[in-house]
Amino acid sequence: MSHKPDDEYDFLFKVVLIGDSGVGKSNLLSRFTRNEFNLESKSTIGVEFATRSIQVDGKTIKAQIWDTAGQERYRAITSAYYRGAVGALLVYDITKHVTYENVERWLKELRDHADSNIVIMLVGNKSDLRHLRGVSTEDSQAFAEKEGLFFIETSALESTNVEQAFQIILTEIYRIVSKKAFDPVEGGNTAGPSKGTTINVGDTSAEDGKKKSCCS
Amino acid sequence: MRDEEELPGKQPPGALPADGRLNQTLKGMQNLLSRGRTLPGKIMLSRKNETAPSSAKPPLPDEVIDDDYVDVRKGGEASEDRSSPQASTSDRNNEDAADGGAREEPGSTRGVDGKPGGSQHGTPRTNGGRATDSARVDRFKKVLATSTVELEALRELAWSGVPPDMRPACWRLLLGYAPPNSDRRAAVLARKRQEYRDCVPQYYDIPNAERSEDEVNTLRQISVDVPRTVPDVRFFQQSAIQSSLSRILYIWAIRHPASGYVQGINDLVTPFLAVFLSEILEGDMEHWDAGNLSPETLYTVEADCYWCLCKLLDGIQDHYTFAQPGIQRLVFKLKELVRRIDEPVARRIEEQGLEFLQFAFRWFNCLLIRELPFHLVCRLWDTYLAEGDGFADFLVYVCASFLLTWSDELQKLEFQDMVLFLQHLPTKKWTHQELEIVLSRAYMWREMFGRSPNHLNSS
């Protein structure tokens, strides 16, 4: 490994935040990692990085989260960060239907550039803007089930479901990785709410996430 | 403050022990100086000088100068405009005094860069380091007053900072937007401003139905980015300014289809807005009210911003085309340069698995605007614009100098903390002094490395 752990953890998972510009990726990240929200945060140029550890099953899971620029022009740069990622939060803005329409393009990005068994969670952000909603929960839910994605609606501003979103995806990654390590038989469904189809754990590359440098 | 003219010959060769990373730099500079070459630019010499013998004559910068760097920009060209060595010396001393005085209260005039008018004499001002001392102001006035402005002379002066109230005129000239010939200037500007103005109804003030899908997407992207452009400067939150910014960006994008609008270009308009509005709005930028501007006035400012943006980006178009090859190339150059200047830092970065792209991409994409407090950005741009068309190459040296400001810290950090550190560099409290040091060092490194590409390859 290229660098020593500077703190104690059992698993290190690389997760990417993707989705259209302005849907709130950076604020989801800052809410989760620093409990901060900034209504006027600058656009992300290239990629930004933050980290936080959580406990799952008594294990410390460290999430190394790469926040990417949303504009299409940056795909060439940002898609390099999909490599080695074991989780992706694909974010859209529930008040802007076009950002939801683009989810399919983002999925294609992931399928082209990321590991085939990456755990993907569809995140409808800005749920606080109820009066401006342009994407129904049901539609997104149905879409997520069809595509085999986890789904959750969040508000980084009100701090609603942000913790849960990361908790669910990290737990699922952990479940896959630890099952791969300790229990080769695909077992019970322990995932949280809104789970779509079962994640394929047959692929061995799931363990790529285990204590591996994000920049490997 | 002292000129390097005094250094050659007096500085004993090898006076600096080979004990630090910068010693190579210093040695190289000594060599240049002892060969009788003059180096324009300010050069920071103090960093690893502690061990230099104090008997060296003249004393090393640390011992005579309390603000950490030696002005060696008065080499050849600049010294020629002084009529005699005596005049040169006294002039220099005056500048030193003014300069020292101006630095006594660093940071006390935040945001003053955009400040229009006001006395350039009398009370010392801190902006731009030497930018406002009276001798320099007079030289700017002299250059600007000629019927055909000598751009080389202007570049030479502007490199070290332009007095704020002369910035609008200097920037227009340096960017080649205003012609050097004063007889033609007003007519050319009027024509360009009208040309921009004609673009607004043609491209911007049309219904979305008349736009292509790409154009709608561009407009949407711009509308997402405009409200979050330099959000820490309240002035940019004013609706009149945001409308102007949208129009500038959209029209620029439509007329530059090879790249189109790319996030971060919005940042690049802000120094122009600050500078050109400083001709009109009084006082501190934080208190400007764009709502009082007439549409005529706003269009004029907008047009100037637009054309200056065009000129600025003309030379770096491939920074913003697909896959941004221009930026990738500069990031690669930066990595190479850092390896040659500060091998331990380069090695540390590599060992930790950090890619230069992970932090330097934004530096180049936004020309360091994101990395500095806004009140320093215009000063930084004085140097960019003085550099002219090749400024992107110099930017690599600026970025190296910027990065290696934290050479010691970087060597202690591990991957994660290193990324976090580099993405949120502690520059919030920076004053002109820190920026001047970055620029001086960049200048020195270019003198050394830019002209002898393999100079340090073997070391």
Side-chain angles (χ1 to χ4, degrees):
Chain A
M1 200 149 63
S2 61
H3 48 91
K4 299 187 293 281
D6 51 358
D7 47 0
E8 295 294 316
Y9 57 84
D10 300 300
F11 294 90
L12 177 63
F13 295 151
K14 174 176 167 182
V15 174
V16 290
L17 270 164
I18 60 170
D20 276 11
S21 211
V23 298
K25 298 181 293 294
S26 300
N27 271 316
L28 282 168
L29 181 62
S30 66
R31 177 62 81 193
F32 178 62
T33 57
R34 303 192 299 277
N35 198 21
E36 285 173 14
F37 179 90
N38 185 356
L39 207 50
E40 290 156 345
S41 63
K42 299 174 188 177
S43 61
T44 304
I45 304 295
V47 291
E48 286 185 29
F49 171 89
T51 178
R52 195 186 134 183
S53 294
I54 62 163
Q55 297 291 319
V56 176
D57 271 5
K59 297 274 193 280
T60 302
I61 293 177
K62 181 168 196 160
Q64 220 173 47
I65 307 157
W66 291 89
D67 177 22
T68 62
Q71 197 188 6
E72 185 147 6
R73 179 52 43 85
Y74 288 111
R75 301 273 166 92
I77 302 291
T78 55
S79 60
Y81 293 85
Y82 300 169
R83 196 163 50 93
V86 290
L89 294 183
L90 201 178
V91 188
Y92 67 93
D93 174 350
I94 65 146
T95 72
K96 295 212 166 64
H97 199 267
V98 66
T99 67
Y100 174 70
E101 289 161 33
N102 284 333
V103 163
E104 295 214 43
R105 294 169 70 179
W106 285 107
L107 277 177
K108 186 175 182 308
E109 278 288 307
L110 283 175
R111 283 170 186 149
D112 289 348
H113 299 283
D115 294 340
S116 59
N117 63 332
I118 188 170
V119 179
I120 304 169
M121 172 174 271
L122 182 65
V123 180
N125 191 38
K126 307 196 186 180
S127 65
D128 51 288
L129 299 173
R130 293 159 199 93
H131 53 298
L132 296 172
R133 180 183 282 277
V135 184
S136 79
T137 309
E138 294 71 30
D139 285 357
S140 306
Q141 177 85 59
F143 177 80
E145 276 173 26
K146 180 168 77 83
E147 297 289 338
L149 318 172
F150 286 84
F151 170 66
I152 196 165
E153 285 189 346
T154 58
S155 163
L157 185 145
E158 290 181 343
S159 206
T160 308
N161 275 349
V162 178
E163 195 77 15
Q164 288 84 333
F166 283 96
Q167 188 86 35
I168 290 166
I169 194 167
L170 293 170
T171 303
E172 177 62 12
I173 297 165
Y174 166 74
R175 193 182 69 80
I176 293 170
V177 168
S178 56
K179 192 163 63 177
K180 176 80 194 104
F182 308 116
D183 175 16
V185 182
E186 193 163 332
N189 179 359
T190 58
S194 311
K195 187 177 178 295
T197 58
T198 308
I199 306 293
N200 168 27
V201 292
D203 193 317
T204 54
S205 55
E207 67 186 356
D208 279 358
K210 191 178 176 182
K211 287 210 171 186
K212 206 162 174 190
S213 155
C214 72
C215 36
S216 53
Chain B
M1 192 102 351
R2 193 162 35 82
D3 287 343
E4 91 295 356
E5 293 149 27
E6 299 173 42
L7 291 174
K10 291 187 177 180
Q11 190 128 325
L16 298 170
D19 66 335
R21 254 166 281 124
L22 269 177
N23 86 303
Q24 291 177 322
T25 310
L26 295 170
K27 259 198 205 158
M29 200 179 74
Q30 265 189 319
N31 289 339
L32 288 172
L33 294 173
S34 61
R35 289 203 298 270
R37 283 186 57 179
T38 52
L39 299 177
K42 290 175 178 173
I43 291 180
M44 187 273 196
L45 277 174
S46 66
R47 186 143 165 226
K48 295 285 179 182
N49 279 355
E50 300 85 346
T51 51
S54 57
S55 60
K57 295 264 176 179
L60 284 160
D62 271 356
E63 297 158 61
V64 285
I65 301 163
D66 52 13
D67 54 1
D68 278 357
Y69 61 88
V70 180
D71 184 359
V72 293
R73 193 164 168 75
K74 297 298 175 305
E77 198 175 341
S79 62
E80 282 159 24
D81 59 37
R82 289 165 177 154
S83 49
S84 70
Q86 289 83 358
S88 173
T89 308
S90 70
D91 184 5
R92 195 186 308 142
N93 290 342
N94 287 343
E95 283 189 24
D96 297 348
D99 211 16
R103 285 218 187 77
E104 276 171 18
E105 32 184 271
S108 65
T109 51
R110 288 281 161 93
V112 79
D113 266 354
K115 200 171 176 177
S119 172
Q120 298 300 324
H121 309 279
T123 52
R125 292 170 60 175
T126 60
N127 39 22
R130 322 169 48 250
T132 50
D133 71 74
S134 62
R136 273 176 60 77
V137 169
D138 288 345
R139 281 155 69 204
F140 270 101
K141 281 185 180 154
K142 207 170 130 198
V143 170
L144 291 175
T146 52
S147 61
T148 302
V149 173
E150 274 187 65
L151 287 178
E152 273 319 299
L154 185 61
R155 286 189 197 289
E156 176 74 22
L157 274 175
W159 202 97
S160 303
V162 181
D165 64 337
M166 299 188 192
R167 246 184 208 131
C170 288
W171 282 21
R172 286 188 197 103
L173 286 161
L174 290 170
L175 282 160
Y177 167 47
N181 184 327
S182 63
D183 293 342
R184 291 176 48 232
R185 200 171 299 148
V188 168
L189 292 181
R191 182 171 55 75
K192 297 296 253 183
R193 286 165 181 164
Q194 187 57 45
E195 192 185 328
Y196 171 79
R197 203 166 169 165
D198 292 343
C199 286
V200 176
Q202 188 187 346
Y203 298 115
Y204 191 84
D205 291 336
I206 58 170
N208 267 359
E210 288 176 29
R211 298 184 214 272
S212 71
E213 195 191 331
D214 278 353
E215 289 166 358
V216 172
N217 283 336
T218 296
L219 197 56
R220 187 186 303 124
Q221 184 66 61
I222 289 169
S223 70
V224 166
D225 288 346
V226 162
R228 46 183 186 164
T229 301
V230 195
D232 32 343
V233 176
R234 269 177 304 156
F235 175 70
F236 291 114
Q237 300 302 306
Q238 296 184 17
S239 68
I241 294 305
Q242 297 202 339
S243 302
S244 283
L245 183 55
S246 292
R247 285 191 290 264
I248 294 166
L249 291 170
Y250 182 76
I251 291 168
W252 186 87
I254 296 299
R255 291 177 55 135
H256 296 81
S259 64
Y261 171 73
V262 177
Q263 290 186 299
I265 294 180
N266 54 328
D267 291 75
L268 304 185
V269 182
T270 57
F272 294 129
L273 279 167
V275 164
F276 295 129
L277 280 165
S278 76
E279 285 182 301
I280 297 146
L281 296 167
E282 307 239 326
D284 194 275
M285 188 181 180
E286 277 294 307
H287 303 119
W288 286 355
D289 183 359
N292 297 334
L293 296 171
S294 72
E296 286 301 315
T297 309
L298 203 54
Y299 265 126
T300 303
V301 169
E302 221 178 285
D304 287 5
C305 292
Y306 170 78
W307 288 112
C308 286
L309 180 72
C310 291
K311 296 285 186 185
L312 179 77
L313 297 183
D314 272 355
I316 55 171
Q317 272 234 42
D318 67 350
H319 285 210
Y320 305 103
T321 51
F322 177 76
Q324 304 185 257
I327 292 183
Q328 306 228 32
R329 195 174 60 239
L330 294 189
V331 171
F332 179 80
K333 281 188 185 175
L334 174 64
K335 188 179 171 184
E336 278 302 291
L337 185 62
V338 169
R339 193 179 59 75
R340 289 165 61 194
I341 294 172
D342 196 334
E343 208 273 331
V345 164
R347 191 158 13 110
R348 179 79 187 172
I349 290 174
E350 196 172 338
E351 279 169 1
Q352 292 301 308
L354 188 67
E355 310 244 3
F356 274 65
L357 206 59
Q358 286 164 346
F359 59 90
F361 185 87
R362 186 175 72 195
W363 296 6
F364 290 115
N365 194 80
C366 300
L367 306 180
L368 288 176
I369 287 186
R370 292 278 186 105
E371 322 309 317
L372 294 170
F374 191 74
H375 72 99
L376 294 179
V377 167
C378 292
R379 165 63 195 93
L380 174 63
W381 282 40
D382 290 338
T383 299
Y384 290 168
L385 303 189
E387 282 285 328
D389 288 342
F391 86 92
D393 291 321
F394 185 63
L395 185 59
V396 176
Y397 290 90
V398 176
C399 287
S401 175
F402 186 64
L403 174 72
L404 295 174
T405 299
W406 297 278
S407 172
D408 294 342
E409 287 86 342
L410 289 171
Q411 291 197 57
K412 292 177 200 136
L413 295 175
E414 299 193 336
F415 175 80
Q416 214 158 267
D417 292 328
M418 202 185 276
V419 186
L420 291 169
F421 183 77
L422 287 168
Q423 291 188 342
H424 310 273
L425 287 163
T427 58
K428 233 180 217 147
K429 300 219 165 91
W430 269 29
T431 64
H432 282 92
Q433 196 169 334
E434 286 86 358
L435 179 60
E436 296 293 346
I437 291 170
V438 166
L439 290 172
S440 311
R441 209 166 32 200
Y443 195 98
M444 178 175 68
W445 286 343
R446 179 174 60 182
E447 286 300 300
M448 295 178 56
F449 298 95
R451 283 156 210 194
S452 55
N454 298 313
H455 183 55
L456 289 180
N457 265 0
S458 57
S459 57

